[in-house]
């Protein structure tokens, strides 16, 4: 692996920089499984928290859910979009960062937050790490692959990138493979989903992005194509943001524009080998970086 590429992914971004908490996170366990479990016990996934049956439980995976104030937001991703903000809030609520954190002192963020927090922690420990966005067939329901974010880090002992899913480190989630070293054919990266929709490998109803309103097929894959592209450039944008030109067109692009994205996606299939070309696009194609969404219009 080229040193320049590995050095690039040791750098932090607005989203993965830990500031004064870097040494604290660096001191956490070096065992990747223990680290994921520890992190998972700091977070309640919004889908679980919004389930009225789970919120009535006093003794479940997340603790005593009846103690969580009903005034808390189901989704707190917009409150804590960065690793620094997540850690700051967790330690503000309870400075004992352990698996015994009470439910009312956990934060409610999605897989994106999990992926960013793990990447930030691994970077603090000196690893090359990056967030990846795509779709996870292993959490498929009714034949649908849902959008998902995971973490990738370079293991020097194995001389390769390793995929890790901190979000799925739950006791009742048996995947049939190691969540600490996910086989690459078990995750559909954003570029793979986009190209798969373009060449009819996937059906529209198979690729699902759980936004509001939900998007399917090519439109859903467009989202993760850009989330993954930005993440590969160390810019792990929140999922309220997408390139303005795509939002303005309502995800309905011309064939010429699709062909332009075909080239980008093809390069993203091997981001290390094509790193220079991707970096050139990043530095020269401003329309891929001018964001729209939330307060940005």
């Amino acid at each position: 692996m080229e040193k320049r590429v590995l050095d690039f992914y040791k750098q932090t971004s607005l989203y993965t920089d830990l500031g004064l908490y870097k040494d604290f996170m660096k001191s956490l366990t070096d065992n990747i499984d223990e680290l994921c479990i520890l992190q998972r016990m700091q977070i309640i996934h919004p889908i679980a928290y919004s389930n009225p049956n789970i919120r009535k439980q006093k003794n479940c995976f997340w603790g005593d859910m009846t103690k969580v104030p009903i005034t808390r937001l189901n989704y707190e991703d917009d409150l804590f979009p960065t690793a620094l903000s997540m850690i700051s809030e967790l330690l503000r609520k309870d400075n004992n960062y352990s698996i015994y954190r009470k439910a009312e002192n956990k934060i409610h963020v999605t897989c994106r937050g999990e992926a960013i927090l793990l990447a930030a922690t691994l970077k603090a420990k000196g690893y090359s790490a990056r967030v990846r966005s795509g779709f996870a067939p292993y959490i498929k329901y009714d034949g649908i692959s849902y959008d998902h974010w995971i973490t990738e880090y370079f293991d020097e002992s194995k001389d390769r990138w390793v995929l890790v899913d901190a979000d799925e480190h739950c006791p009742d989630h048996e995947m049939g493979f190691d969540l600490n070293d996910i086989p690459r054919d078990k995750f559909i990266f954003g570029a793979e989903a986009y190209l798969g929709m373009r060449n009819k490998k996937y059906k529209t109803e198979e690729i699902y992005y759980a936004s509001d309103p939900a998007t399917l097929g090519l439109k859903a894959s467009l989202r993760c194509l850009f989330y993954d592209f930005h993440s590969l450039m160390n810019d792990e944008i929140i999922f309220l943001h997408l390139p303005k030109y795509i939002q303005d067109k309502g995800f309905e692009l011309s064939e010429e524009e699709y062909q332009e994205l075909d080239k980008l996606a093809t390069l993203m299939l091997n981001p290390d080998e094509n790193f220079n070309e991707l970096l050139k696009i990043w530095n020269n194609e401003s329309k891929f970086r001018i964001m729209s969404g939330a307060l940005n219009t």
Side-chain angles (χ1 to χ4, degrees), residues 105-119:
N105 293 329
K106 299 181 180 185
I107 58 174
H108 311 155
V109 296
T110 60
C111 53
R112 175 191 172 274
E114 293 268 18
I116 288 172
L117 186 54
L118 181 60

Side-chain angles (χ1 to χ4, degrees), residues 1-2 6 153-162:
M1 181 61 61
E2 188 178 344
L6 294 178
Y153 74 98
F154 194 82
D155 187 329
E156 293 186 356
S157 67
K158 298 177 180 178
D159 193 31
R160 64 177 173 86
W161 289 98
V162 176

Side-chain angles (χ1 to χ4, degrees), residues 29 72 81 93-94 97 121 148 169 233 240 258 278 286:
T29 177
R72 287 280 297 275
K93 287 180 172 296
D94 183 355
Y97 194 86
T121 304
H148 201 45
H169 273 68
M233 294 293 100
L240 295 175
Y258 280 126
L278 289 172
S286 59

Side-chain angles (χ1 to χ4, degrees), residues 14 26 30 70 76 79-80 86-87 90 94-95 97 109 137 141 158 173 182 191-192 208 210 223 231 234 271-272:
L14 163 68
K26 181 180 179 180
D30 292 326
I70 61 173
E76 296 181 329
L79 296 180
F80 312 117
M86 286 185 269
I87 290 300
L90 286 167
D94 183 355
N95 60 16
Y97 194 86
V109 296
Y141 300 101
K158 298 177 180 178
H173 289 194
I182 301 172
E192 294 173 336
Y208 181 93
R223 285 182 174 273
S231 292
N234 275 339
D272 301 317

Side-chain angles (χ1 to χ4, degrees), residues 180-199:
N180 304 309
D181 191 356
I182 301 172
R184 304 194 77 80
D185 62 353
K186 298 296 184 182
F187 189 79
I188 306 172
F189 295 95
E192 294 173 336
Y194 169 78
L195 291 172
M197 289 302 308
R198 288 279 285 161
N199 62 30

Side-chain angles (χ1 to χ4, degrees), residues 16-216:
T16 57
D17 194 85
L18 291 165
L20 296 177
Y21 294 106
K22 177 180 178 180
D23 288 341
F24 172 76
M25 299 303 284
K26 181 180 179 180
S27 71
L28 299 179
T29 177
D30 292 326
N31 181 287
I32 190 67
D33 187 56
E34 293 175 357
L35 186 63
C36 287
I37 292 172
L38 174 61
Q39 178 177 301
R40 192 67 187 83
M41 296 308 294
Q42 314 306 307
I43 294 168
I44 300 174
H45 195 288
I47 290 179
Y49 181 65
S50 60
N51 185 321
N53 293 324
I54 292 178
R55 289 174 67 161
K56 295 176 184 177
Q57 294 183 24
K58 293 186 176 182
N59 184 22
C60 69
F61 171 71
W62 292 276
D64 186 351
M65 296 292 284
T66 66
K67 298 293 186 182
V68 182
I70 61 173
T71 52
R72 287 280 297 275
L73 295 176
N74 290 357
Y75 285 78
E76 296 181 329
D77 293 75
D78 49 349
L79 296 180
F80 312 117
T82 67
L84 179 59
S85 62
M86 286 185 269
I87 290 300
S88 177
E89 177 65 4
L90 286 167
L91 296 181
R92 183 188 73 84
K93 287 180 172 296
D94 183 355
N95 60 16
N96 182 23
Y97 194 86
S98 77
I99 62 173
Y100 303 108
R101 179 176 292 271
K102 295 180 179 179
E104 61 267 33
N105 293 329
K106 299 181 180 185
I107 58 174
H108 311 155
V109 296
T110 60
C111 53
R112 175 191 172 274
E114 293 268 18
I116 288 172
L117 186 54
L118 181 60
T121 304
L122 291 171
K123 286 175 185 284
K125 290 177 174 292
Y127 287 95
S128 299
R130 57 197 184 193
V131 172
R132 303 303 304 267
S133 177
F135 299 86
Y138 55 86
I139 51 175
K140 181 184 291 186
Y141 300 101
D142 298 325
I144 297 172
S145 294
Y146 282 80
D147 61 286
H148 201 45
W149 301 61
I150 58 177
T151 307
E152 189 174 37
Y153 74 98
F154 194 82
D155 187 329
E156 293 186 356
S157 67
K158 298 177 180 178
D159 193 31
R160 64 177 173 86
W161 289 98
V162 176
L163 294 172
V164 184
D165 188 344
D167 186 60
E168 289 298 308
H169 273 68
C170 302
D172 59 344
H173 289 194
E174 292 294 333
M175 301 300 177
F177 57 83
D178 187 357
L179 283 169
N180 304 309
D181 191 356
I182 301 172
R184 304 194 77 80
D185 62 353
K186 298 296 184 182
F187 189 79
I188 306 172
F189 295 95
E192 294 173 336
Y194 169 78
L195 291 172
M197 289 302 308
R198 288 279 285 161
N199 62 30
K200 311 300 183 185
K201 178 180 179 180
Y202 303 114
K203 297 177 180 178
T204 297
E205 62 271 16
E206 291 179 316
I207 301 297
Y208 181 93
Y209 190 87
S211 57
D212 186 16
T215 50
L216 295 169

